[in-house]
Every structure is written in structure tokens, then in C-alpha cells.
Amino acid sequence: MGKPILLTVDDDPSVSRAVARDLRRRYGDDYRVVRADSADAALEALREVRLRGDRVAVLLADYRMPGMTGIEFLEQAMDLFPQARRALLTAYADTDAAIEAINLVDVDHYLLKPWEPPEEKLYPVLDSLIEMWKATGEREITETRIIGHRWSPQSYEIRDFLARSGVPYRWYTSEDAEGQALLKAAGLDEDAVPVVLTESGEPLVQPTIADVAAQVGLSTEPTGDFYDLVIVGGGPAGLGAAVYGASEGLRTVLVERLATGGQAGQSSRIENYLGFPEGVSGSQLTDRARRQASRFGAELLTARKVVGLEATGPQRKVHLDDGTCISAHAVLLSTGVSYRHLDAAGADDFVGRGVYYGSAATEASACEGEHVVIVGGANSAGQAAVFFSRYAAKVTIAVRGPNLERTMSHYLIQQIEAIDNIEVRTCTEVAECAGSDHLDRIVLRHNPTGETETVTCAHLFIFIGAAPRTDWLPEELTRDGSGFVKTGTDLLDAGARPKGWEPERDPWPLESSIPGVFVAGDVRATSVKRVASAVGEGAMAVTLVHQYLALT
């Protein structure tokens, strides 16, 4: 690993050079000084640093910058390097704002311009920040390398899993000279890909997601056999419950079949979530929630599939696909929903090879200058269209309905209308997907007329419908006709309690037809399909778990 990084960002080139000069003079032997002339350039540099697995010790940002203030930059940078120490460089007239930033945005310090002499006004502050950073005990981030085929579904699944889990990695295609050299060094050929190389150099040949999770240091095994609360599903509702459950003293474990975040974690920008006036990406929100839940002591298990639920006396048992079982006093179901299958000829043949369910951010760079088609008319589809419009030459939203107003938020519709390279085709659906080794064209059908059109398209992202993941649940757990889990008063039939219900009380809100099994988020019948409501239901479920535990 290289030297830890001191990053400085200032839109005034002369100031930027002066700060970098003074930093190198004092810290150049032990730290690498990186400077940027804009907040956007600095964030891009930090993303590259994160993927390389390098460390950032201190971030120093000018307060007044066009487009993005130093406070806004530091807030976004926190999501990439939460352990880095943060300081504002500000003029005397802005000291009140700097002090407010320290209180509200967790900025560590501020420095006044000019900082001459640096021995008195700059270095003591930086010395303190560096010592604070060292005290966190942050380790060097290990680097995971993936060698695979460009259009391999297995390679895509591994990259998508690591990206959604916040694990830095390097990606090499087996056709590249460097990828071939790595395969040769491992004693493998192209038939072995995808291959994952851990930091130790151990090759994992065509590994499962669970194998990858275990090798990169993600938790996959519970530390105990019995808990107060088992949460099944790591979307906003599950993460919210993990934070509140662990913070309130419940021994809590969350089990997620892939990566935490759910569909919300794949959103490129959520702009209507309370407390984020500039919006927040799903990955940023998920990463913050993960860190928060872990800090309170919740266990987060990834790449573990739950296949069964059993009520045995006062115990609630969750069965995993490897035959193991986790028992608890109470269970929260927050499994969310999955996108519905695209009923188009040839679509199944290209999943992971041009056809993707959800917003595959790892494919963004591959969409540069291409035609991207988004299927669906809800917020997730709109957010994806806005995101990919930054890369693609053209983005087409294909929606079966006559307009977007019925299914998409007004603010997103306004954004889409203002972006020149996005077109919306209503009353339209994908009839066919075609190509050779990957998707290269699709057939769009205009339903009112039946007319079809073949268009060039190598990237098709699908956001249609919402199918609950409830087929693994026992028969005695009541669901509606679409498979969503009923709770509370929805379980009462003409005032009668559910069949087999034993407590001398009606089911509580968010409680299923099995006492002690609660439901939150999109998987719950009649729930509001929004991130904020899912988080709220996760928190509310923990309150009900406390009430349930008091009676058992």
C-alpha cells in the first residue's frame, strides 16, 4: 500500500498550490499530498482512491467554492472515507458558518486564511488531525481483484455484490494483458474465470457469492445460536430495525441474502428523503446505516439465504440454506420485493449480459456513448434514467402506461423533462431481446397500434412491478392474493382473530398471524412503498418487539 493521503481542495489555483506546497514541506516524507481545483474533481479522486484500497488521513476543503461548498463536499466525502479527519479553510468573515459546520456536519476544525506562518497556524492543526486519524486504528484496505469476461453474468454478479457491499476491488477482463498475466501467475487459463484474487493472492475459481463474502471479510456466520431479534432482509426497513434494536439493548442479528440496502441501495440518487436536501445515493445511505447498526452491536450477515421460519413454543426459528438455524424471541420480516420478470422473447438469455434487473451502477462506464433503455415508470426507473443520462448518448424510458404522473414523483418528472438525452415512450413495452454473445438490439412495441421498432441497445435495465419474496414462509403465515404479508387489523375477519392465534389479544400493528413475527417495509401488505416509511416501520417494529418480550 502507498502512503496515506492528505487531500486539499480549493477552486483558487494559487491557494491550492500554496496549501499543497506547505503540506508537502512538512508531511511529504510520510504522506502523499493530493490537490484538486473543484469539489467534483476531489470526489472523483476519492472514488478512485477508495477502489485502489488506499487510505485518506485528512481532508482540507475551502469553504466557498462554486457548485458545491466545502461543507457539502466534506459531507459527501464522509461516505467514502468516514475515518478521515475533516477541516475547513475559510476567510474570517465566514467563521460563523465554519463553527456551524463543526456542530452540524462533524467537521473537526477550521483554518483561517491566510495561514502564515504555517508553523504556527497550519501545522499544529494538521498534527492534531493526523493524530486523531491514527488513533482510530484504521487499517489499510485490502485489495480484491476480479478477472472475468466482459459479458459474463457470473463476473457481473460478483462485481455488483462487492460494489453494493462497499468493498473496493479492481476489475480485469481476461482479454487484457494484465488480466492474462494474473491468470498465468495463478496457474489458470481463461476457462477458469471468473477468478477472484484476495490480498493474499489466493485464487477463488468461479466462487459463489457466499465464498466471496467470506474471503473479503464480510460477516456470514452468526456468533450465537439465540438472539432477542432476528431480522430477515437488509433493506431500509431491516437496517432501521437493526439500528434501533441494537441501540436499545436487544441482541440483534440481520440476515441478508445478497448485499444490504435492497432496491433502495441501488438507487443512484434519493432526493425526497428527510434530512438530505441535496439528495443522497442509495449506496451512501446504506453504508451509513450499516456502520451505524454495527457501531451499536448488531450483527449483519450477508450472502445468507433464509429458507424457512418455524414457531416452536416461545422460540422463533429461522432456517438457513446450509441447514443451520438461528433462534430468537422475535423475528422481523423485511425481505422487500424483487422486480418482476420481463416477459419478452430472449430476455432470459441476456441477464447479466446486457439485461439487468435494477440499477447496475457497475455498468455505468460501459454505457458511455451508448443507447440505454429503462423499462418501468416508478421512481426507481426515473432515478436510473437520470443517472445513466450522464454517461449514455441516449436514454429511453419505456413505460406501459399513458404517462408517468400516476407512478412517478413530480420532482423526478421535472428532472427528466429537463434532460435533453432522455426520451419517454408511453404505452410501450419490450417485445424481444436479441444479440450474439451479449444484447445488442431490442424490439419495442407500441401497444395501442401494435407497431414494432427494432432499436440498437446494449444495456437494458428493468424496473417493473414488485413481487414479494415470501414463497419460503410457512402456510400458517397469512398473505394476500399477491403474496404480501398481512398484519394487524388486516388479519381480523369480521372481528375474528386468525386461525391458530393463541394470545388473548388482537394482533398488534406490524404483527403477522404468527405471534412474535413482525413485518416491515415493502413486503407488508398495504405498506407505503417509500424508503422513509420503511425505515419508520423498522423502528416501530422494534417498539412492538419490546412489548412482545415483556409478555413472554
Side-chain angles (χ1 to χ4, degrees):
M1 294 293 174
K3 300 175 182 178
I5 290 171
L6 308 178
L7 183 141
T8 173
V9 53
D10 197 303
D11 64 303
D12 186 328
S14 62
V15 174
S16 179
R17 287 191 296 268
V19 174
R21 176 201 64 212
D22 287 342
L23 293 181
R24 290 191 182 99
R25 183 190 306 162
R26 171 82 169 223
Y27 306 103
D29 291 342
D30 300 313
Y31 295 86
R32 182 157 63 95
V33 176
V34 176
R35 72 180 183 90
D37 293 334
S38 71
D40 287 334
L43 288 172
E44 185 61 33
L46 288 176
R47 293 185 188 102
E48 294 178 7
V49 169
R50 175 71 184 265
L51 288 178
R52 287 200 304 268
D54 289 338
R55 295 170 295 164
V56 176
V58 176
L59 300 165
L60 178 58
D62 183 50
Y63 172 65
R64 288 191 178 273
M65 292 187 293
M68 186 185 303
T69 69
I71 296 174
E72 294 167 340
F73 161 74
L74 291 173
E75 185 174 17
Q76 293 194 36
M78 284 172 61
D79 295 314
L80 295 168
F81 291 94
Q83 302 297 334
R85 310 323 301 175
R86 298 167 288 278
L88 276 176
L89 188 62
T90 182
Y92 179 80
D94 296 322
T95 53
D96 288 344
I99 293 171
E100 182 181 2
I102 292 174
N103 295 327
L104 298 180
V105 194
D106 201 21
V107 174
D108 296 301
H109 212 289
Y110 71 91
L111 290 159
L112 289 176
K113 301 179 186 178
W115 59 89
E116 299 292 342
E119 289 77 11
E120 296 180 10
K121 298 184 178 181
L122 177 64
Y123 297 150
V125 173
L126 266 293
D127 288 344
S128 175
L129 294 177
I130 289 172
E131 288 304 314
M132 291 169 61
W133 174 75
K134 288 180 178 179
T136 64
E138 182 181 23
R139 302 187 304 272
E140 293 178 345
I141 300 174
T142 58
E143 182 181 82
T144 299
R145 290 165 290 177
I146 308 168
I147 307 105
H149 291 305
R150 168 68 185 87
W151 297 108
S152 160
Q154 294 84 1
S155 299
Y156 161 72
E157 288 174 2
I158 293 171
R159 290 188 293 129
D160 184 62
F161 170 75
L162 291 178
R164 291 176 60 186
S165 300
V167 177
Y169 68 88
R170 286 182 185 269
W171 160 246
Y172 306 91
T173 69
S174 54
E175 294 82 14
D176 294 338
E178 194 165 359
Q180 292 174 358
L182 289 172
L183 288 173
K184 184 177 180 180
L188 302 169
D189 57 28
E190 289 191 33
D191 293 336
V193 300
V195 173
V196 175
L197 296 176
T198 62
E199 188 202 14
S200 63
E202 177 187 357
L204 304 177
V205 179
Q206 299 179 5
T208 65
I209 294 299
D211 292 334
V212 174
Q215 286 297 320
V216 300
L218 298 174
S219 297
T220 59
E221 298 291 339
T223 62
D225 297 323
F226 195 87
Y227 295 82
D228 294 316
L229 174 62
V230 174
I231 302 167
V232 184
L239 287 169
V243 168
Y244 283 96
S247 68
E248 295 174 10
L250 298 180
R251 190 174 185 199
T252 302
V253 60
L254 181 151
V255 186
E256 165 57 43
R257 67 186 187 95
L258 286 175
T260 50
Q263 289 185 3
Q266 296 178 283
S267 297
S268 56
R269 180 65 54 177
I270 303 170
E271 297 189 62
N272 58 353
Y273 190 73
L274 183 67
F276 291 89
E278 303 302 323
V280 60
S281 72
S283 61
Q284 290 172 333
L285 192 62
T286 297
D287 186 55
R288 292 184 179 195
R290 268 197 305 255
R291 298 199 313 264
Q292 195 173 15
S294 297
R295 184 168 65 86
F296 284 124
E299 293 182 35
L300 306 181
L301 310 184
T302 57
R304 296 305 304 269
K305 185 177 181 181
V306 176
V307 297
L309 172 66
E310 179 185 6
T312 306
Q315 293 188 20
R316 303 293 175 261
K317 296 182 178 180
V318 169
H319 296 273
L320 306 181
D321 57 353
D322 65 351
T324 59
C325 173
I326 307 175
S327 298
H329 291 300
V331 170
L332 174 65
L333 303 177
S334 54
T335 51
V337 294
S338 59
Y339 292 114
R340 294 191 185 278
H341 177 78
L342 178 65
D343 187 18
D348 291 346
D349 299 331
F350 297 102
V351 174
R353 297 189 296 130
V355 173
Y356 306 95
Y357 285 86
S359 181
T362 54
E363 295 299 304
S365 60
C367 297
E368 191 76 40
E370 299 286 339
H371 179 205
V372 169
V373 175
I374 307 290
V375 182
N379 278 5
S380 54
Q383 290 161 354
V386 172
F387 172 70
F388 285 110
S389 69
R390 305 170 195 164
Y391 302 87
K394 179 181 179 181
V395 176
T396 297
I397 301 176
V399 56
R400 295 179 65 178
N403 54 56
L404 295 176
E405 280 73 11
R406 185 175 61 87
T407 55
M408 189 178 294
S409 294
H410 179 65
Y411 79 91
L412 266 176
I413 296 175
Q414 287 183 311
Q415 287 186 20
I416 289 169
E417 290 175 347
I419 299 175
D420 293 336
N421 64 335
I422 297 181
E423 70 163 354
V424 179
R425 300 182 64 159
T426 58
C427 303
T428 300
E429 60 185 314
V430 177
E432 183 180 350
C433 299
S436 52
D437 62 333
H438 65 88
L439 180 74
D440 60 30
R441 62 191 182 278
I442 63 172
V443 176
L444 294 176
R445 179 174 59 237
H446 186 243
N447 289 329
T449 63
E451 295 180 356
T452 61
E453 177 187 358
T454 300
V455 298
T456 301
C457 171
H459 295 86
L460 180 68
F461 298 95
I462 301 164
F463 303 83
I464 52 175
R469 302 189 183 104
T470 57
D471 54 347
W472 57 276
L473 292 169
E475 291 184 2
E476 59 266 31
L477 197 140
T478 305
R479 282 151 280 182
D480 65 13
S482 299
F484 293 91
V485 182
K486 288 187 174 183
T487 59
T489 56
D490 289 341
L491 292 168
L492 302 179
D493 184 8
R497 293 166 181 160
K499 182 180 179 180
W501 183 265
E502 295 181 358
E504 292 299 320
R505 59 174 177 81
D506 290 343
W508 289 325
L510 306 186
E511 191 173 23
S512 72
S513 56
I514 299 179
V517 176
F518 300 87
V519 190
D522 290 357
V523 72
R524 190 177 69 83
T526 70
S527 67
V528 178
K529 304 301 188 281
R530 287 290 185 268
V531 176
S533 62
V535 173
E537 288 190 5
M540 179 180 173
V542 170
T543 299
L544 296 174
V545 168
H546 279 293
Q547 294 182 19
Y548 177 77
L549 294 179
L551 298 179
T552 57

